[in-house]
């Protein structure tokens, strides 16, 4: 994924300024920066849900899966965990078509990766914040997209959930996916292949490490 001279606004506020950056396929990129640095805006621009006011985003084939910051609905939908993860297949199948055996296998694998299989018949609105976050990541994995974007996916979750989510990101990179996640966690940065840091809506130089395998990277379980 290539970002070329991208700027973006929130109303009259300039949130991103002339961003030039590559996010390689098959690599996990950690995106960091202080509050107001433009991290969430950049993720939204990469996903295509926030319009860039200048520049171009070149996305690979296969679509984009986006996991926003932890979601806590005031009036939760009557939706089971299995149904929520299954919604990830709508990207390929549409919500009106019956699932095939391969769709069910993809959903089952995503639930297993995030350790939510035992929660399959639980209502999404009745889960803890950490459980719900794992379900939303599993839903994104079920899309089998070419790009996986996550905005602080491990914020507020316990160590076991963090490990599951980070292993899932590593597995997607192994599959050749572009993986970008916002984080404030130093260990998550060390586990990533690349680190992009934003300051005041710009990419801080240098971007590190190189796109080669990072020595701190762990293979997915």
């Amino acid at each position: 994924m290539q970002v070329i001279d991208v700027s973006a606004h929130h109303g009259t506020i300039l949130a991103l300024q002339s961003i030039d950056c590559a996010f390689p396929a098959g690599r996990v990129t950690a995106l960091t920066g202080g509050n107001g640095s433009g991290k969430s805006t950049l993720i939204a621009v990469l996903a295509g849900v926030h319009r860039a006011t200048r520049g171009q985003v070149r996305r690979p084939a296969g679509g984009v899966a986006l996991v926003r910051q932890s979601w806590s609905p005031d009036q939760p939908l009557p939706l089971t965990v299995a149904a929520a993860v299954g919604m990830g297949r709508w990207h390929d199948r549409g919500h009106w078509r019956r699932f095939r055996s391969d769709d069910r296998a993809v959903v089952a694998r995503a639930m297993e990766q995030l350790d939510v299989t035992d929660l399959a018949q639980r209502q999404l609105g009745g889960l803890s914040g950490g459980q719900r976050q794992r379900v939303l990541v599993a839903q994104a994995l079920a899309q089998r997209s070419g790009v996986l974007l996550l905005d602080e996916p491990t914020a507020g979750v316990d160590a076991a959930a963090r490990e599951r989510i980070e292993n899932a990101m590593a597995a997607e990179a192994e599959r050749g996916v572009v993986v970008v996640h916002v984080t404030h966690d130093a260990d998550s940065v060390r586990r990533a292949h690349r680190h992009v840091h934003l300051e005041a809506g710009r990419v801080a130089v240098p971007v590190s490490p190189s796109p080669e395998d990072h020595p701190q990277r762990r293979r997915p379980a």
Side-chain angles (χ1 to χ4, degrees):
M1 176 181 282
Q2 187 78 29
V3 177
I4 304 168
D5 193 28
V6 163
S7 295
H9 288 73
H10 286 291
T12 60
I13 299 173
L14 181 60
L16 298 175
Q17 306 180 54
S18 302
I19 298 286
D20 283 294
C21 193
F23 298 96
R27 298 291 184 266
V28 176
T29 300
L31 181 61
T32 64
N35 291 336
S37 62
K39 305 181 301 297
S40 293
T41 303
L42 180 55
I43 285 287
V45 168
L46 294 177
V49 299
H50 187 96
R51 185 176 66 86
T53 49
R54 186 179 73 185
Q56 182 181 11
V57 178
R58 294 179 179 172
R59 301 178 183 87
V64 175
L66 171 64
V67 181
R68 296 182 181 273
Q69 291 185 25
S70 186
W71 172 66
S72 180
D74 294 328
Q75 295 181 322
L77 294 172
L79 193 66
T80 67
V81 166
V85 177
M87 288 170 65
R89 298 306 302 149
W90 292 3
H91 175 264
D92 286 338
R93 298 291 294 160
H95 66 274
W96 62 91
R97 295 178 181 170
R98 293 178 62 87
F99 277 9
R100 302 169 301 195
S101 59
D102 56 339
D103 294 312
R104 290 190 290 272
V106 167
V107 170
R109 172 58 179 158
M111 293 177 66
E112 178 185 354
Q113 283 181 272
L114 275 300
D115 193 27
V116 296
T117 303
D118 290 346
L119 304 175
Q121 299 309 312
R122 291 272 302 274
Q123 291 292 311
L124 186 63
L127 302 181
S128 69
Q131 289 172 328
R132 189 162 52 242
Q133 188 70 355
R134 284 186 284 135
V135 171
L136 296 178
V137 174
Q139 182 187 84
L141 296 189
Q143 290 187 40
R144 302 289 287 178
S145 298
V147 179
L148 175 61
L149 306 172
L150 310 98
D151 195 353
E152 298 193 47
T154 61
V157 304
D158 61 24
R162 182 181 300 111
E163 185 77 6
R164 286 281 182 174
I165 291 170
E166 292 191 345
N167 283 343
M169 291 191 294
E172 287 297 278
E174 288 280 344
R175 195 168 66 83
V177 173
V178 175
V179 181
V180 185
H181 70 105
V182 174
T183 185
H184 293 282
D185 183 74
D187 187 57
S188 291
V189 173
R190 285 191 292 269
R191 290 187 64 167
H193 297 101
R194 304 181 81 237
H195 175 204
V196 175
H197 185 72
L198 297 185
E199 293 180 0
R202 295 180 181 273
V203 174
V205 178
V207 175
S208 63
S210 73
E212 299 301 321
D213 284 349
H214 190 280
Q216 292 294 324
R217 178 173 171 268
R218 304 176 197 169
R219 297 187 65 84

